[in-house]
Amino acid sequence: MQRRRTGTIAVVSALGMTAVLGGCGLTGDSGEVTLKLVAADYGDSKANSSQTYWDELARAYEATHPDVHVDVTVHSWNDVDRKVREMVEAGDAPDMAQIGAYSDYADRDLLYQAGDLLSIPVQANYVSQLAGAGQVNGAQYGLPFAASTRVLFYNKTLFDKADLTPPKTWDDLADAAGKLEAEGVKYPYALPLGPEEAPAETMQWMLSGGGGYTDDVGTYSLDSPQNVTTFTWLKEELVEKGLTGPVAPGQLDRADAFAAFANGDVGMLNGHPTLMKMASDKGVKYGMVTTPGVDGASRSTLGVTDWMTAFKENGHQEEIGDFLDFVYNDENVLDFSRRYNLLPVTTSASQIMSTAPEDKDLRPFLNELLLSELYPVGKTSWASVSADVKKRIGQAVAPGGSTEEVLDQIQATAMRAGSAE
């Protein structure tokens, strides 16, 4: 199998391509090789831990590659990025790490580029938005692994009781929240701006108001007029009117908001595919619509992807590349996506999911993927900016505070961090 050594893939069309099975037949000329992979756990119990998925995948690969052993260690999302960072700092980097960020390692020249590893069909098969987000200075270091988008979930039972229809605009949402509050709903609109996942809710609202973390040329713009307008509206029309529930948005984490929705205590909130199963398991009847915007459905939504990375430290370039070709074939991509209610990161698997009857529940999210915008993860400064958003953004909607001042403070952090890139 021929491997590509540059990052340029524009000459190859991803449409209609299927990822290539890792069957190149590595020889044993250099002896047996053990590849170390550290991965994140997407399961919510031991029974559906990602360790099971990876162990099955590793055994299937080893069955046709007897000279290669794949040793997989899975950690929770609370720990995996820290564990990998500690391994790297100790000079014991894994061969591969499936984690939440990559740009800092790429900036330190610790990672292989996609073109150093993958066959051309596999490299060309990534969904374009996701592949682009994996680039630093035009070179792809982050390999998309799993993706999700956000839509507005609403509780059908609560909406029917209040004689409501799903909102299309901010004003619709505020009106619905007011009527839900009058019906005694605990969280008419759940606004999780707590430290767990504040950057996601923040970006979803910024996009719905025509803003974002960066402007059209990639410069941080957290204090833009659009973002100030958005968070001023949230504070004045939802928070100060008591329509976001008993927990202050800056103290409400995403996991707690999802749990409250699954318990029937939330009228509306932005959610990703995982919430479908949580709600269904508790018997909550829910609907999903595109996130409302200022004057209609939001024209873009938040897209999130997690990353596969490959470290140079141990060598094993050819073995890593061959294994990753196997990881990204359609059967394996779809298996993982379906197990954990996530979106495929490859064009061919997305095409299959768009028509397969078993995937109909994921289609609202899949349809949003091509219109999605991702965090500016290619910036090494993003980690600092994200941390500051988690720390401060709840204050932007706190009654009596200054929205503009808080956004100015986060922008100042972004500019300082960005100047060091």
Side-chain angles (χ1 to χ4, degrees), residues 252-268:
L252 181 63
D253 282 337
R254 189 270 312 163
D256 294 333
F258 276 23
F261 187 87
N263 286 332
D265 293 330
V266 174
M268 300 171 282

Side-chain angles (χ1 to χ4, degrees), residues 191-226:
L191 183 63
L193 295 176
E196 179 200 4
E197 205 185 29
E201 185 75 7
T202 297
M203 185 167 176
Q204 187 76 349
W205 274 100
M206 285 179 172
L207 291 172
S208 75
Y213 285 119
T214 61
D215 59 22
D216 292 340
V217 296
T219 302
Y220 284 115
S221 58
L222 287 101
D223 60 349
S224 69
Q226 295 94 328

Side-chain angles (χ1 to χ4, degrees), residues 44 262 274-284 286 341:
D44 56 11
T274 302
L275 186 55
M276 295 190 299
K277 184 176 186 302
M278 292 179 63
S280 296
D281 287 349
K282 292 290 190 73
V284 172
Y286 62 88
N341 280 326

Side-chain angles (χ1 to χ4, degrees), residues 126-204:
Y126 289 122
V127 173
S128 59
Q129 288 94 325
L130 307 183
Q135 296 180 1
V136 175
N137 297 324
Q140 186 178 354
Y141 295 91
L143 312 181
F145 182 73
S148 67
T149 55
R150 299 294 196 274
V151 298
L152 183 76
F153 282 73
Y154 64 95
N155 183 308
K156 284 187 172 182
T157 302
L158 298 178
F159 264 59
D160 289 345
K161 184 179 179 183
D163 194 25
L164 295 171
T165 57
K168 296 180 180 179
T169 68
W170 286 0
D171 287 344
D172 292 344
L173 188 149
D175 181 64
K179 292 177 179 177
L180 290 166
E181 195 271 339
E183 291 285 343
V185 175
K186 188 173 182 179
Y187 293 90
Y189 178 83
L191 183 63
L193 295 176
E196 179 200 4
E197 205 185 29
E201 185 75 7
T202 297
M203 185 167 176
Q204 187 76 349

Side-chain angles (χ1 to χ4, degrees), residues 10-95:
V11 295
V12 182
S13 170
L15 296 177
M17 282 191 172
T18 56
V20 178
L21 282 171
C24 296
L26 295 173
T27 69
D29 293 344
S30 58
E32 294 187 1
V33 169
T34 295
L35 298 178
K36 293 190 296 182
L37 167 63
V38 176
D41 195 353
Y42 291 81
D44 56 11
S45 67
K46 186 176 181 180
N48 71 343
S49 169
S50 296
Q51 187 73 54
T52 301
Y53 170 83
W54 283 112
D55 286 346
E56 292 172 359
L57 194 69
R59 300 299 85 78
Y61 182 78
E62 292 168 352
T64 55
H65 299 77
D67 295 324
V68 180
H69 176 67
V70 183
D71 181 13
V72 185
T73 303
V74 170
H75 296 287
S76 75
W77 271 111
N78 291 332
D79 299 324
V80 67
D81 286 279
R82 174 179 57 81
K83 292 283 189 180
V84 171
R85 183 171 61 252
E86 290 172 352
M87 293 173 72
V88 172
E89 297 305 323
D92 186 29
D95 295 286

